[in-house]
């Protein structure tokens, strides 16, 4: 069984309630995808190409799976109500979603959103009704504060969970037995607190968002909402994934993670995406874009005017789809650099070099003053441009 394909399929069902029907669908989809993958390998495709074909074949399955109940009682807010969970009737014969327990609040007139968590996952999706909706199944999982057009969401702090257990209860004697009892309670509370807190789910409108800033220390951040004018997403040890359902161009986009992976699919005038030890994968349309990773791969597919891509120990893989390209600067220390250009792109000056690898350039050289400037360099990897 290919583990990459397994993870892809498992992720589709990650938040879905497991029952006989969903279990059967999960198993059937897994078997079909594994068979499809093996068939593609037998036909001569590389592992990456075969995996890409499997992912393409799954398009549309998310909508099917989203029809099943979610583990946290939430799918997405709809206009005038809330989603998923138990459905009830209001007497009109139409089904309505019963609001799930926990934090469940609605805000209007918000243009700036700031969400910060320590260990909780942040999930942001479209709201569809022009309002912002916030849900967390833990009633103490977040604090919410609106000041004018600015909404601040702060996740629960771990330190709050540590403080109480270390205090002796009133009337309890300071004896060895009492101290051991106190320490035992503390250890149990600390152990529980290491588990990730309940996810914070936020639904935001497609229009009118000036700023969205999301920060998490160890939780993943997943966004399917339209980009705000200014979009900032940061995580220390969690993965970051931006796949907007509605295409909207941001003026400025910043995505970063230290030890997680970053995936971006969207559009922005100016964008930066980075990771210290994970892969950085960007798809979309950009005016200027910078992607970098220290020990992971830096990958881009799409349209861009000016691109900088770098990695120290990973590969730099670039596929350009537009003929309005102006500049590419791609380099790696110990990885390969590969740049694929569209057939209609002309007027190129390419500087390619490597110390101990091989250089292959299929570019028709147009001279140092050409309108399209490409620099591709590696120290110990191969360099391919064409």
């Amino acid at each position: 069984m290919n583990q990459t394909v397994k993870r892809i399929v498992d992720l589709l069902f990650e938040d879905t309630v497991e029952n006989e029907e969903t279990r059967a669908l999960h198993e059937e989809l897994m078997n079909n995808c594994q068979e499809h993958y093996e068939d593609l390998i037998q036909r001569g495709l590389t592992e990456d190409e075969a995996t890409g074909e499997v992912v393409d074949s799954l398009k549309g399955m998310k909508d099917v799976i989203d029809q099943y109940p979610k583990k946290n009682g939430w799918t997405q807010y709809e206009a005038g109500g809330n989603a998923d969970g138990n459905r009830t009737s209001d007497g009109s014969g139409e089904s309505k979603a019963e609001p799930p327990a926990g934090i469940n609040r609605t805000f209007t007139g918000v243009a700036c959103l700031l969400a910060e968590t320590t260990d909780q996952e942040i999930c942001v999706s479209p709201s569809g009704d022009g309002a912002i909706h916030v849900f967390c199944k833990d009633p103490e999982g977040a604090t919410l504060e609106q000041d004018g057009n600015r909404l601040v969401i702060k996740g629960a702090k771990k330190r709050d969970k540590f403080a109480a257990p270390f205090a002796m209860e009133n009337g309890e004697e300071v004896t060895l037995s009492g101290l051991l009892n106190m320490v035992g309670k503390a250890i149990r509370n600390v152990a529980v607190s290491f588990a990730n807190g309940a996810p914070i789910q936020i639904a935001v409108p497609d229009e009118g968002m000036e700023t969205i800033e999301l920060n998490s220390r160890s939780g993943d951040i997943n966004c399917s909402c339209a980009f705000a004018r200014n979009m900032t997403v940061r995580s220390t040890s969690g993965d970051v994934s931006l796949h907007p359902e509605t295409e909207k161009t941001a003026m400025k986009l910043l995505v970063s993670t230290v030890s997680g992976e970053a995936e971006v699919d969207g559009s922005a005038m100016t964008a930066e995406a980075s990771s210290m030890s994970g892969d950085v994968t960007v798809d979309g349309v950009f005016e200027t874009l910078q992607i970098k990773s220290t020990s992971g791969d830096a990958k881009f597919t799409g349209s861009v005017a000016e691109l900088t891509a770098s990695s120290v120990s990973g590969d730099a893989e670039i596929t350009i789809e537009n003929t309005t390209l102006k500049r590419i600067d791609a380099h790696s220390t110990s990885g390969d650099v590969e740049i694929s250009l569209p057939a209609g792109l002309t007027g190129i000056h390419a500087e390619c070099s490597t110390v101990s690898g091989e250089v292959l350039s299929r570019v028709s050289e147009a001279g140092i003053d050409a309108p399209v400037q490409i620099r591709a360099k590696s120290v110990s990897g191969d360099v391919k441009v064409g």
Side-chain angles (χ1 to χ4, degrees):
M1 175 179 290
N2 182 271
Q3 294 301 312
T4 301
V5 173
K6 181 180 183 302
R7 175 167 170 75
I8 291 169
V9 177
D10 286 344
L11 283 173
L12 287 174
F13 291 86
E14 187 175 35
D15 297 325
T16 304
V17 173
E18 184 177 349
N19 54 38
E20 186 175 350
E21 187 174 357
T22 59
R23 193 181 305 113
L25 179 60
H26 192 161
E27 291 176 357
E28 181 180 3
L29 194 60
M30 181 70 74
N31 291 335
N32 289 342
C33 287
Q34 294 289 351
E35 290 176 3
H36 185 37
Y37 175 84
E38 294 299 333
D39 180 60
L40 293 169
I41 294 296
Q42 291 295 324
R43 286 161 49 189
L45 273 68
T46 65
E47 291 183 2
D48 287 344
E49 290 171 340
T51 302
E53 290 286 340
V54 171
V55 172
D56 287 341
S57 72
L58 290 171
K59 289 180 178 178
M61 279 305 302
K62 185 178 184 300
D63 292 335
V64 174
I65 297 168
D66 281 347
Q67 302 303 312
Y68 293 95
K70 300 301 176 186
K71 292 177 181 177
N72 55 18
W74 158 289
T75 51
Q76 174 183 317
Y77 281 98
E78 300 173 352
N82 306 307
D84 220 301
N86 299 321
R87 305 193 69 85
T88 60
S89 175
D90 61 358
S92 64
E94 297 182 1
S95 293
K96 282 193 172 183
E98 185 177 290
I103 297 172
N104 184 4
R105 294 184 59 187
T106 299
F107 300 86
T108 58
V110 175
C112 301
L113 169 67
L114 169 62
E116 297 180 342
T117 71
T118 301
D119 65 331
Q120 294 161 277
E121 181 180 359
I122 301 175
C123 301
V124 186
S125 61
S127 69
D129 65 352
I132 288 183
H133 305 275
V134 182
F135 170 70
C136 180
K137 66 179 180 180
D138 181 358
E140 300 179 353
T143 59
L144 315 175
E145 182 179 350
Q146 183 175 3
D147 182 9
N149 69 349
R150 187 169 185 262
L151 175 62
V152 178
I153 302 172
K154 293 187 177 181
K157 295 181 180 179
K158 283 185 176 181
R159 67 185 67 173
D160 294 338
K161 300 178 182 179
F162 296 155
F166 284 93
M168 296 291 289
E169 296 182 7
N170 291 336
E172 187 170 357
E173 295 183 10
V174 184
T175 62
L176 178 59
S177 177
L179 287 172
L180 291 175
N181 183 50
M182 178 189 71
V183 173
K185 290 179 181 178
I187 292 173
R188 287 192 295 273
N189 276 272
V190 170
V192 170
S193 68
F194 279 134
N196 287 352
I200 297 176
Q201 308 236 15
I202 310 167
V204 303
D206 285 341
E207 302 290 340
M209 294 303 297
E210 179 67 24
T211 303
I212 294 178
E213 182 175 345
L214 310 173
N215 301 290
S216 179
R217 187 176 302 171
S218 60
D220 295 340
I221 302 177
N222 298 286
C223 291
S224 59
C225 66
F227 287 169
R229 183 178 175 86
N230 296 286
M231 192 90 181
T232 302
V233 184
R234 301 187 185 96
S235 179
T236 303
S237 60
D239 295 334
V240 174
S241 177
L242 278 65
H243 296 278
E245 295 179 7
T246 301
E247 190 172 317
K248 199 168 186 64
T249 300
M251 290 300 296
K252 186 175 182 179
L253 172 65
L254 173 62
V255 177
S256 67
T257 179
V258 177
S259 60
E261 297 190 348
E263 291 185 2
V264 179
D265 184 357
S267 175
M269 297 299 294
T270 301
E272 296 181 17
S274 65
S275 176
M276 286 287 290
S277 60
D279 294 340
V280 179
T281 305
V282 180
D283 295 351
V285 180
F286 303 88
E287 185 67 22
T288 62
L289 172 64
Q290 180 178 350
I291 55 177
K292 57 184 178 179
S293 178
T294 302
S295 60
D297 295 335
K299 303 178 182 180
F300 172 72
T301 301
S303 299
V304 66
E306 299 184 11
L307 169 65
T308 301
S310 64
S311 178
V312 176
S313 59
D315 298 334
E317 301 176 10
I318 300 166
T319 301
I320 302 298
E321 298 176 343
N322 62 305
T323 56
T324 54
L325 175 70
K326 296 179 181 178
R327 180 184 63 84
I328 295 178
D329 187 350
H331 58 272
S332 176
T333 302
S334 59
D336 297 334
V337 175
E338 185 171 352
I339 301 174
S340 299
L341 303 171
L345 184 64
T346 57
I348 305 169
H349 170 62
E351 296 181 9
C352 305
S353 65
T354 181
V355 176
S356 59
E358 296 181 354
V359 173
L360 174 61
S361 177
R362 297 188 178 91
V363 171
S364 297
E365 181 59 45
I368 194 170
D369 295 323
V372 180
Q373 296 286 320
I374 296 178
R375 293 178 177 84
K377 300 179 181 180
S378 179
V379 176
S380 59
D382 296 335
V383 174
K384 298 180 182 179
V385 178

